[in-house]
DNA sequence: TACATTATGTGTACAAAGTACACATTGCCT
DNA sequence: AGGCAATGTGTACTTTGTACACATAATGTA
């Protein structure tokens, strides 16, 4: 047993420091989007022969000269070409055998992006959006990571205005409710939903009406800038 | 930019795999205890000359042949000699310069232990309990880690019966309330506290009375085994 | 043994938030 | 003009949170 908790000392107990650098550090991003009243997730076909034909999350090894958070931004930017996107760390997965090529400890981040506001970079490996509901199996432990991040997202939308990342700037209350229903995978009562949102005081009434709908148009709203700003900090 | 998110491919883009194994992986444990109506945290003097005289959390590098979770259990066990202890991952800290000796990404866990139920292993480096309130500065980014874990704990005790880990098996409602007050660092109304706890339905009335108190003794309770078991799974 | 001390045990009124539920209105389409 | 499809709105009830006071029980001490 170590005589101290200290990194330096602990490393010296081993015959060689090298032993401790046999673990790779990676980041996996669960990038959620919203389209056609469904919650989507961005997946790519795995390169590994062990997972031939299977999809995986977007991830990469962390470079020695970048922060963990920076690494997740890099991955997101490489794929979606979006800056200034919502991204939050969720959990770190570190079982011994989670990666077939070697020991890899991976920190999962979740992100929310507006699918309509950007194009995916042209990419190999069939990079595309999948309905979250339709995802049954993924390479590595990525299904578990997805499940963990989805649960985290569901907890967050109750208290935090994160869904603004999934919507256009202007939206009707129906559109907002549909996002909540898609994320929570449950129908919501319209009157109660509106009451709840009103109480939170997140929105500004734009005094504009929906357009291009084949029924009575609803009023348009947007999130208050202050609300969005505070959320970014948290 | 990488042409794929895949670990194998990304690694191959670099001239050498070795570049990716320059990051060490460690675990830091925020071990909370409770004594004298105060929340405590277990700290040890840092070995590093850069942090001479400063205290740090208990941590160690993760060995290539142990899971991340196992590493945190190992550290806890080495120091407190307790098995079967509450331990939960909170957050991973990965800025480039957080460790003076090199690049170390560290996953923080928090733990709750009953200080009276065990002795600390004899140790160097002044391993001992500190009142959480009195901790102003720590080595590395450990103050930030402590703050993050404390916030996490405060969130948890509202919904989950985790405080059972801090108490003896039998306790009075006053003792339970004092734990909550210590963790939340705020006084609570006695009647409202009892109502809230009653609603949660976590406790069994043992039909026994306190002993060795110099005033009217209170009734003793314990947590229902089912409640504790479910909490361990979560 | 009585009395001061200290903590236990208990309930009500009010406020805030969540939930179940129905009908008139508006604009589009044919 | 009438049908369609959605918007917009309020009330009664339940649940949860909060503020607040007094009688009771055991101990310690004069």
């Amino acid at each position: 047993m170590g005589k101290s908790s200290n990194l330096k000392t602990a490393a010296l107990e081993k015959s060689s420091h090298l032993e401790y650098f046999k673990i790779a550090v990676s980041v996996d991003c669960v990038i959620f989007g919203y389209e056609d009243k469904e919650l989507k997730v961005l997946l790519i076909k795995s390169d590994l022969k062990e997972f031939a034909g299977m999809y995986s999350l977007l991830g990469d090894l962390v470079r020695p000269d970048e922060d963990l958070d920076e690494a997740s931004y890099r991955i997101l930017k490489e794929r979606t070409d979006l800056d200034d996107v919502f991204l939050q760390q969720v959990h770190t997965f570190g079982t011994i055998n989670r990666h077939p090529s070697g020991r890899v400890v991976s920190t999962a981040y979740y992100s929310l992006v507006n699918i309509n506001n950007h194009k995916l970079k042209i990419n190999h490996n069939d990079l595309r959006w999948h309905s979250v509901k339709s995802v049954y199996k993924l390479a590595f432990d990525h299904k578990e990571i997805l499940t963990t991040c989805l649960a985290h997202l569901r907890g967050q939308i109750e208290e935090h205005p994160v869904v603004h990342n999934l919507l256009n700037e202007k939206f009707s209350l129906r559109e907002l409710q549909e996002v909540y229903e898609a994320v929570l995978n449950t129908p919501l009562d319209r009157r109660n939903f509106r009451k709840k949102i009103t109480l939170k005081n997140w929105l500004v009434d734009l005094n504009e009406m929906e357009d291009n709908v084949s029924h009575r148009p609803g009023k348009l709203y947007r999130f208050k800038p202050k609300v969005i700003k505070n959320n970014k900090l948290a």
Side-chain angles (χ1 to χ4, degrees), chain A residues 134-193:
Chain A
S134 73
V135 176
Y136 286 108
K137 205 172 174 188
L138 292 174
F140 311 98
D141 52 0
H142 286 188
K143 182 66 197 292
E144 185 190 354
I145 295 179
L146 173 58
T147 301
T148 301
C149 287
L150 179 56
H152 190 81
L153 168 60
R154 285 178 176 164
Q156 292 244 306
I157 64 170
E158 301 289 346
E159 298 297 327
H160 303 281
V162 293
V163 295
H164 81 83
N165 295 286
L166 296 171
L167 285 164
N168 294 324
E169 197 188 338
K170 300 177 181 187
F171 51 85
S172 66
L173 289 178
R174 173 180 43 80
E175 290 174 303
L176 183 63
Q177 182 175 340
E178 283 167 355
V179 174
Y180 272 84
E181 290 176 333
V183 171
L184 298 173
N185 193 29
T186 188
L188 299 173
D189 177 87
R190 187 153 47 99
R191 278 174 291 188
N192 292 340
F193 177 77

Side-chain angles (χ1 to χ4, degrees), chain A residues 169-175 194 204-222:
Chain A
E169 197 188 338
K170 300 177 181 187
F171 51 85
S172 66
L173 289 178
R174 173 180 43 80
E175 290 174 303
R194 289 159 108 96
V204 183
D205 182 341
L206 291 170
N207 291 314
E208 290 177 58
M209 291 308 221
E210 260 183 319
D211 219 337
N212 299 324
V213 286
S214 67
H215 54 74
R216 174 178 176 179
K219 293 166 89 172
L220 292 176
Y221 297 80
R222 62 171 168 76

